[in-house]
Amino acid sequence: CTAQHFDERHPASLRGTAAMLITDRAAIDAHPDGAAALLCDPQWSRIVVLTHDAAATSEDPRLLYLAPGDAGALTRLVSVWRGEG
């Protein structure tokens, strides 16, 4: 499922299943209250932020920062997360 805006409800939410949000740092920074607000939204089970900022980290295990070119790591993480759910 995809959403055009962070606050848009999409089919995953209608099924009662939280979705994974994959976005970029600019979009997170432009969102009111940033990642903290998105983490409070039950429609997102995980949030992956693509960024070139190597220092970006989070203490919340649902929020992960990855380099845009690190598709291998993202593929492995999605596999692990699916196994948890």
Side-chain angles (χ1 to χ4, degrees):
C1 297
T2 61
Q4 296 301 312
H5 306 285
F6 292 132
D7 299 323
E8 175 185 329
R9 298 295 177 218
H10 46 81
S13 295
L14 296 175
R15 290 191 315 264
T17 304
M20 182 184 319
L21 173 64
I22 301 173
T23 188
D24 63 18
R25 184 64 180 258
I28 289 289
D29 291 345
H31 188 270
D33 296 320
L38 294 169
L39 286 167
C40 291
D41 187 336
Q43 78 171 324
W44 306 121
S45 64
R46 309 270 189 204
I47 300 172
V48 177
V49 180
L50 303 177
T51 181
H52 292 287
D53 180 2
T57 61
S58 171
E59 292 183 17
D60 190 315
R62 297 170 300 147
L63 176 62
L64 180 69
Y65 294 91
L66 286 178
D70 204 352
L74 183 57
T75 301
R76 288 187 297 277
L77 287 168
V78 168
S79 177
V80 168
W81 292 334
R82 283 187 177 159
E84 291 175 358

